[in-house]
Amino acid sequence: MALVLRVVTIALATLLCACTSLVPYRTIEANATIDCGANSDGQVSLDCSERVLERAPSYDLLFVEFDDQGLQFPSERFGKPAAFQIESAIDRLKLLAADHKGLSVVVFVLGWNHNASSDDDNVKNFRRLLHNAALIERADSSGYRVVGLYVAWRGLSSTLGPLKYLSFWARKSAALHVAQGSSRELFSRLRGFKCAQNAKAGLPGCNETASGARPKVQTLMIGHSFGGLVLFNAVSGALIESLTHAQDSGDPAGPSQRYGDMVVLLNPAFEATRYTPLHRIATLRKYYRYQAPLMVSITTTADQATGKAFPFGRFINGIFERVTSDEEDTANTN
C-alpha cells in the first residue's frame, strides 16, 4: 500500500510540475523608443521579451492575451499593461495610422501547445513573417507600415510530452471560452478601426476602393489549430452576412462585403460541421464576376494534431451525439 501511495504521489507531482501557469507573458507597458528588432533566429533582447509592444525598425508587433475564460487578465494581480492590452493595441494602431501612408496589419491567433512567451516558436516565426512582409512593402516603396497583432491564450497547458495530447479536451474548451469572450471585442474594434480609417481616406467602404486604389488599412487574419476555432467563431457570422448581402440587398451581382481583406485558417481544429453552413451558402450562391476569396482554409496531410489527435478526441466526445447522415457523422469527427 505504501508503495502504491508513493507511486501516486510521484505521478501527481509530475503532473503538477508539467502544468503551465495561467499568467500573462506580456506585463510591461509599451515603449516605442526601444529597438525590439529580432535576430535571424527570431529572438529579441531580454528587455523586449515581456513588453506588450515590440517595435522593430521595419514593423510593430502588438500582443493581446486572454485567460482560460476568454477575458483579459485582472490589473489588481498582473498590472495595468496586462489588463488593457486591447486598448493599448488599438491606441497604437491609431498612432501608426496617423504617421504613415497606410498600414498592413497581420493578425495571428495562436493554437494548441503555444503561448505568448518570447521564445515560443509561433512568436519567433511571426517576427520573421512580419520582417519579410516589411521587406516587400519597402521593395514596392508603398509607404505602408507592417503591424503584427499576436492574439494569445494558454494553448500550452502542459510541458510533458504525452500530456500535451491529453490536454485536447481542456484546450478545446478553453479555445471556445476565448472565442466567446473578449476576443469578440478585439475583432470588432479592429474592424471598426479599419472602417474608420478607410472612411477618412475617402474610400467608399471598409474594403472597397476607388479605381483599384489600396485601402488605408489592410488586414490579413490568420488562425492556427484551436486558434482557427477562435478566429472562425469571431468572423463566421460576418462571413455569412457577406455571402448573403448581395442577394438580400437586391443586387445579386454586387460584391461581397468583407470582414477583412483575407481570413486564413491553418490546420483549423474544429469540427467540419461548424463550417458546413458557410460552405453551403458559398456553394449555392451565383457569382457573376471574379471575387478574391473571403476565407481560405488549409489543412496539411502531415499535421498530427488535426489528422490523429482531433478525430480521436472528437470520437470520444461524439459517442453520445446524434447525427442524421453519414456525411454529417464524418464532418462531426474530422
Side-chain angles (χ1 to χ4, degrees):
M1 185 66 179
L3 178 60
V4 172
L5 289 175
R6 186 176 300 174
V7 171
V8 171
T9 301
I10 293 173
L12 288 174
T14 301
L15 290 174
L16 290 173
C17 292
C19 291
T20 62
S21 300
L22 181 57
V23 296
Y25 289 88
R26 302 290 166 163
T27 57
I28 301 178
E29 63 185 8
N31 188 337
T33 64
I34 297 177
D35 184 351
C36 290
N39 61 21
S40 58
D41 294 326
Q43 297 176 325
V44 297
S45 65
L46 184 62
D47 190 33
C48 296
S49 62
E50 297 180 10
R51 295 191 178 275
V52 297
L53 164 66
E54 292 180 9
R55 179 175 174 81
S58 57
Y59 63 83
D60 283 69
L61 173 53
L62 305 163
F63 290 85
V64 175
E65 299 173 271
F66 301 107
D67 65 18
D68 278 6
Q69 299 304 315
L71 305 176
Q72 295 187 90
F73 288 88
S75 59
E76 58 270 19
R77 182 178 176 188
F78 298 106
K80 185 177 179 181
F84 293 93
Q85 291 177 348
I86 293 178
E87 201 69 38
S88 176
I90 298 299
D91 287 345
R92 183 62 186 166
L93 286 169
K94 290 178 180 177
L95 288 174
L96 291 170
D99 291 341
H100 294 84
K101 180 181 178 181
L103 300 182
S104 182
V105 181
V106 184
V107 181
F108 180 80
V109 188
L110 67 80
W112 197 9
N113 292 328
H114 292 281
N115 54 37
S117 64
S118 185
D119 60 350
D120 184 274
D121 286 343
N122 274 183
V123 175
K124 292 189 290 186
N125 287 329
F126 194 47
R127 292 176 182 133
R128 295 191 188 100
L129 183 149
L130 297 175
H131 173 72
N132 291 335
L135 291 178
I136 294 173
E137 297 289 2
R138 185 185 305 169
D140 289 342
S141 301
S142 68
Y144 275 59
R145 178 74 174 179
V146 172
V147 185
L149 178 57
Y150 191 88
V151 182
W153 54 287
R154 194 167 66 120
L156 177 67
S157 62
S158 174
T159 57
L160 192 62
L163 293 181
K164 287 185 178 181
Y165 295 99
L166 293 177
S167 69
F168 170 88
W169 294 275
R171 292 307 87 203
K172 187 173 189 290
S173 176
L176 283 170
H177 286 307
V178 174
Q180 297 164 359
S182 296
S183 65
R184 294 178 299 173
E185 175 194 349
L186 173 63
F187 291 119
S188 293
R189 295 190 65 180
L190 281 173
R191 177 168 170 77
F193 163 76
K194 174 183 173 64
C195 292
Q197 292 296 322
N198 289 344
K200 288 180 181 178
L203 301 177
C206 282
N207 302 286
E208 295 82 3
T209 61
S211 304
R214 190 173 179 181
K216 169 76 173 179
V217 176
Q218 288 185 301
T219 54
L220 168 63
M221 312 178 84
I222 306 169
H224 172 242
S225 182
F226 284 142
L229 183 154
V230 174
L231 180 58
F232 184 76
N233 272 268
V235 305
S236 58
L239 290 174
I240 290 176
E241 182 181 351
S242 297
L243 289 170
T244 57
H245 172 78
Q247 181 178 351
D248 294 342
S249 66
D251 182 17
S256 298
Q257 305 298 307
R258 295 172 172 273
Y259 186 89
D261 294 278
M262 179 71 75
V263 175
V264 178
L265 306 181
L266 300 176
N267 291 325
F270 60 87
E271 303 88 321
T273 47
R274 306 285 77 81
Y275 170 72
T276 300
L278 182 65
H279 178 263
R280 287 177 176 172
I281 294 171
T283 303
L284 292 173
R285 182 184 166 179
K286 293 182 179 180
Y287 298 89
Y288 296 86
R289 62 184 178 84
Y290 172 78
Q291 296 185 42
L294 299 173
M295 186 184 80
V296 175
S297 180
I298 304 170
T299 299
T300 64
T301 56
D303 184 61
Q304 297 293 315
T306 54
K308 294 183 178 180
F310 185 87
F312 174 75
R314 281 300 301 152
F315 172 77
I316 299 298
N317 275 13
I319 289 176
F320 300 105
E321 297 179 0
R322 303 290 295 275
V323 296
T324 56
S325 68
D326 291 340
E327 178 186 10
E328 192 173 287
D329 184 42
T330 301
N332 196 39
T333 307
N334 294 276

